[in-house]
Amino acid sequence: YLWKITESRLGHNTREEGNHVQLSHLADTYRRDISKEVNSSIPLIIYYGVDRASRAVRLSPLKSIYERFDAFESPVHKSANCNDIFDWIHYRDNIQNEQNIGSKNLINLENRLRSSGLDEMSIQESIDLVRYKDPILSSVKEAIKKFIPEITDFAVEREPEVQVYLIKNGNKVYANQLSQGEKGLFCLVSDIARRLSILNPDAEDPLLGSGIV
């Protein structure tokens, strides 16, 4: 399938015209598939500009819901938007927290297990059994681990202000403390992984989805 997307510079006319005929045909094919089976897999198609990731990190008011086809939402030739990525992490982290028993209860449980004489490994295994981990957020974390092994986790801190932090080489660092290269790679990998997860939320492993980047 071939298609052409054109965009003119501000104040200029473009000499070429876009061609979306085959792209529209491809989209119709997947529309028919979804009509027959609502959970059918859909490939991701996304184009990133040369910069690949806008570096600013600033959390915005949260969306109340992410629709499946939000995965295709992207201005032509623009880079991965770090703000959108961290807003989505905040959104998924809230869902995860709603399913958990609460941090205070987890601490109380951990203290009781420790006072019972259990070894540290058994305590952590017991805590992991009751701690809910959002599967979609977990899939994005796995993608990050593969591309940036020194970053093993990330989460949202809510006090004194809401911001995303990461565990890098065992230390807690904030997103704005990453180098430009690290932040760019983190945002790019996270953006592709989150779009695959949004597009195929019922897949056992959204990262196994197909696509063109």
Side-chain angles (χ1 to χ4, degrees):
Y1 291 91
L2 300 174
W3 62 87
K4 181 189 291 184
I5 299 174
T6 61
E7 187 179 57
S8 61
R9 291 173 56 195
L10 185 64
H12 293 73
N13 291 323
T14 179
R15 295 181 180 179
E16 298 186 34
E17 293 184 358
N19 186 331
H20 311 137
V21 174
Q22 293 190 39
L23 179 60
S24 296
H25 177 69
L26 179 63
D28 286 339
T29 300
Y30 283 104
R31 286 192 188 98
R32 288 194 294 271
D33 288 345
I34 294 171
S35 297
K36 295 176 182 177
E37 176 53 59
V38 68
N39 293 327
S40 60
S41 178
I42 303 174
L44 174 66
I45 300 175
I46 185 74
Y47 180 91
Y48 292 108
V50 176
D51 190 35
R52 292 193 175 83
S54 60
R55 307 295 199 264
V57 178
R58 191 169 49 253
L59 292 179
S60 308
L62 291 182
K63 291 179 65 170
S64 59
I65 190 171
Y66 280 81
E67 300 290 347
R68 190 176 188 185
F69 294 100
D70 286 346
F72 293 116
E73 207 173 79
S74 178
V76 179
H77 306 317
K78 298 299 181 182
S79 55
N81 190 310
C82 288
N83 289 334
D84 289 347
I85 294 159
F86 289 115
D87 286 342
W88 180 83
I89 290 173
H90 187 192
Y91 168 80
R92 294 305 314 185
D93 192 72
N94 282 348
I95 292 175
Q96 181 172 264
N97 285 340
E98 284 182 0
Q99 299 294 327
N100 262 320
I101 65 173
S103 58
K104 288 185 178 180
N105 289 333
L106 280 174
I107 292 171
N108 290 335
L109 175 60
E110 185 175 352
N111 290 336
R112 288 191 177 188
L113 291 172
R114 189 163 278 113
S115 63
S116 71
L118 275 178
D119 62 273
E120 196 62 32
M121 182 177 291
S122 298
I123 291 172
Q124 292 307 315
E125 288 176 350
S126 299
I127 293 295
D128 286 341
L129 286 174
V130 297
R131 180 187 283 122
Y132 174 78
K133 294 181 180 179
D134 178 57
I136 294 178
L137 195 57
S138 294
S139 68
V140 175
K141 291 182 180 183
E142 286 303 313
I144 291 297
K145 288 178 186 178
K146 290 177 182 177
F147 283 87
I148 318 176
E150 57 268 30
I151 296 178
T152 55
D153 200 5
F154 56 79
V156 177
E157 184 177 85
R158 288 167 173 79
E159 292 181 353
E161 62 177 307
V162 178
Q163 54 185 327
V164 175
Y165 68 87
L166 308 93
I167 303 301
K168 179 186 174 187
N169 295 324
N171 300 311
K172 179 179 178 181
V173 298
Y174 294 102
N176 281 322
Q177 294 176 311
L178 295 175
S179 69
Q180 291 294 79
E182 286 177 319
K183 196 182 300 179
L185 182 57
F186 179 90
C187 289
L188 182 62
V189 174
S190 297
D191 194 51
I192 295 171
R194 81 178 180 95
R195 288 176 186 274
L196 284 169
S197 299
I198 292 171
L199 195 57
N200 298 298
D202 297 313
E204 186 173 338
D205 186 353
L207 298 183
L208 295 179
S210 59
I212 300 173
V213 177

